[in-house]
Amino acid sequence: MAEGGKFGGVLDGLPQTYYTVGQRWDMASFDEASLVQAAQRGSLDAFNELILTYQDRVYNLAYRIMGDPAAAADATQEALIAAYRNLSTFRGGSFVAWLLRIVANRCYDELRRQKRRPAISLEDMGEVDEDANPVLIDSGESLQDHVERWELAEYLQKAINTLPHDQRVVVVLSDVGGQAYGEIAAALGIPVGTVKSRLARARARLRDLLQQQKELLPAAYRLGGEAER
Amino acid sequence: MKGQREEMRIDELLSAYIDGALNPRERARLEARLAAEPALRERLDALQETVMLLRQLPSVPAPRNFILTPAMVRPAQLSPARQPLRWLAPALSMATAVSALLLVVVLATSLLGVREAAPTTAMLGPQGGATQVAEIPAPEETPLPEAAALPPSAPEEYSAEIGVAQSAVTDTTAVTLPLRVALATPSATEEAEVQMLLAPEETPEEGARGFEGPLPTETPMFALPAETPAVPWLPLAGLGLLTLALGLASAMAWRSRRG
């Protein structure tokens, strides 16, 4: 949920005629359903409230799929515009899940349009842009832990970037976006069996790549301890 | 290759197991194997760790705000070509369907028309000069259904055009088709009327009648059907191309509309 500080940042530079205090929704009583209904009736302000709430998750998903900050930002913006124009197709349920499916499809279309090589070696991947995507330090986390977590995240993102497009989108939607098989199948227009197959292949490939860099794995995993479910 | 497929199948099972997507029977069988095969157990553990690391990937914050401005969502933002596409795509789909239906109807009626047209068994061959005449096969050679013979009236009674004979046709339901003779030979002596259906008591000589009209009738042996029903390939090809073009346009319009 968006914080007050973010609203300050949002208001900066925006013309008052567009975003006046009187039109603001009270964030203390965030009501997604009401905002969605208002947005469907044409309220851009209400839709922007929803964007402010979910844009981090939406951008995060786009970044994990595209592997590039600029491409992820473009895909996010285009997906949000498309979402606003197609609000009438939202039939209830989780609004953020609906948004994530739209952005995933947009990313998938963009990947296919760019005709990137479906699979490249990890060695050919460049470094992940550290400054463009800072990994926030968790409170209570030591610097060393933070660095290790960042390095692992960077390596894992590089590994995701080596996956074929169809596997990449599925594994990100599932394991980053938290989408169920049926939701992924509906979003991408593919059978559930295909989702399972692509997801399994993606996970297996990532597993094999991680096994090559065991020193990056957290201690518990390195020692072969059981992971928490 | 078989080993690779088996490996992939196992990974699919393990992946589904992690997500709780196996049915009870499959889960029981896999768990029995996991208990008996340490290597399989390690494989599952590694896959589970991978899934956990993916789920624990730190969230990357949005680098900026992505809120929309009215200018971004104004309908004018759509390219002019996209504006009419909301109704264009369904209209093109309907037009494609109509065109395809027309094509099928025209083809079907044409083929039926060809099938129903009785073929003539005329032989063509040069006779004498440069002109050709067609010869009627003798009635004995070509069994034809019975028909009333045309009365031996003057040729004036017969139309020079293809059509139903105006003269009385009795005792038969058949239709005689006086036909136009296209050519004549100086040496031909017989009348040039071919009856599609001959009366059994008549001989070709008696039954044959000449034609009136501008066409020479001295020598025609018989008359071929002026027009043999044929499949109108040109219109069909045109309709086919039209259907294909409409179909492609419809597909592009739907794709563009989907955005």
Side-chain angles (χ1 to χ4, degrees), chain A residues 89-130:
Chain A
T89 65
F90 176 67
R91 298 277 184 257
S94 170
F95 184 75
V96 66
W98 180 75
L99 276 182
L100 292 178
R101 289 195 288 272
I102 292 176
V103 76
N105 257 312
R106 177 66 59 166
C107 291
Y108 191 30
D109 289 344
E110 181 59 26
L111 285 174
R112 287 188 294 182
R113 202 173 10 248
Q114 290 174 3
K115 290 189 170 69
R116 290 184 179 178
R117 283 198 298 155
I120 56 178
S121 67
L122 212 53
E123 290 73 26
D124 292 340
M125 289 299 300
E127 293 298 323
V128 172
D129 188 342
E130 309 170 12

Side-chain angles (χ1 to χ4, degrees), chain B residues 177-236:
Chain B
L177 297 176
L179 302 168
R180 183 195 300 271
V181 173
L183 301 166
T185 60
S187 60
T189 56
E190 296 194 55
E191 298 287 339
E193 178 181 300
V194 170
Q195 296 183 356
M196 301 300 292
L197 303 169
L198 294 175
E201 65 274 13
E202 290 201 0
T203 64
E205 290 74 19
E206 292 176 356
R209 292 286 178 262
F211 286 95
E212 284 235 321
L215 299 172
T217 58
E218 301 95 349
T219 58
M221 302 295 289
F222 76 105
L224 283 171
E227 290 181 16
T228 305
V231 178
W233 295 113
L234 198 56
L236 279 174

Side-chain angles (χ1 to χ4, degrees), chain A:
Chain A
M1 192 175 290
E3 298 173 5
K6 184 168 283 186
F7 276 103
V10 166
L11 289 172
D12 287 344
L14 283 175
Q16 287 300 305
T17 53
Y18 162 63
Y19 202 79
T20 62
V21 172
Q23 289 177 321
R24 278 189 54 192
W25 296 81
D26 182 3
M27 288 304 296
S29 58
F30 177 76
D31 182 358
E32 179 180 294
S34 300
L35 285 173
V36 170
Q37 286 176 8
Q40 286 178 320
R41 287 194 298 268
S43 170
L44 187 58
D45 289 341
F47 188 75
N48 281 332
E49 292 283 347
L50 293 165
I51 289 179
L52 290 172
T53 303
Y54 297 125
Q55 63 181 0
D56 281 344
R57 287 182 65 177
V58 171
Y59 174 79
N60 182 58
L61 189 86
Y63 175 74
R64 294 299 176 199
I65 294 175
M66 301 303 291
D68 173 72
D74 289 343
T76 299
Q77 189 72 81
E78 289 172 10
L80 290 173
I81 293 174
Y84 180 75
R85 289 186 174 141
N86 292 285
L87 268 172
S88 58
T89 65
F90 176 67
R91 298 277 184 257
S94 170
F95 184 75
V96 66
W98 180 75
L99 276 182
L100 292 178
R101 289 195 288 272
I102 292 176
V103 76
N105 257 312
R106 177 66 59 166
C107 291
Y108 191 30
D109 289 344
E110 181 59 26
L111 285 174
R112 287 188 294 182
R113 202 173 10 248
Q114 290 174 3
K115 290 189 170 69
R116 290 184 179 178
R117 283 198 298 155
I120 56 178
S121 67
L122 212 53
E123 290 73 26
D124 292 340
M125 289 299 300
E127 293 298 323
V128 172
D129 188 342
E130 309 170 12
D131 296 331
N133 293 282
V135 175
L136 300 176
I137 298 180
D138 285 342
S139 57
E141 184 183 41
S142 70
L143 184 61
Q144 181 179 359
D145 290 342
H146 170 70
V147 169
E148 287 177 356
R149 191 161 67 90
W150 184 87
E151 286 179 348
L152 175 60
E154 181 182 311
Y155 183 80
L156 199 44
Q157 183 58 51
K158 285 168 67 175
I160 291 172
N161 293 348
T162 68
L163 295 174
H165 302 157
D166 51 357
Q167 293 179 22
R168 192 189 309 184
V169 173
V170 170
V171 73
V172 170
L173 270 175
S174 170
D175 295 337
V176 177
Q179 304 265 316
Y181 289 174
E183 292 175 320
I184 299 172
L188 301 180
I190 55 177
V192 170
T194 305
V195 172
K196 289 182 181 178
S197 171
R198 290 181 185 175
L199 183 59
R201 292 184 190 194
R203 285 171 170 175
R205 166 93 175 137
L206 294 173
R207 174 199 60 200
D208 295 341
L209 288 172
L210 281 173
Q211 293 296 308
Q212 296 174 12
Q213 298 287 333
K214 281 188 177 177
E215 66 277 8
L216 289 178
L217 297 177
Y221 297 148
R222 227 178 299 152
L223 295 173
E226 284 195 4
E228 295 174 21
R229 271 194 162 245

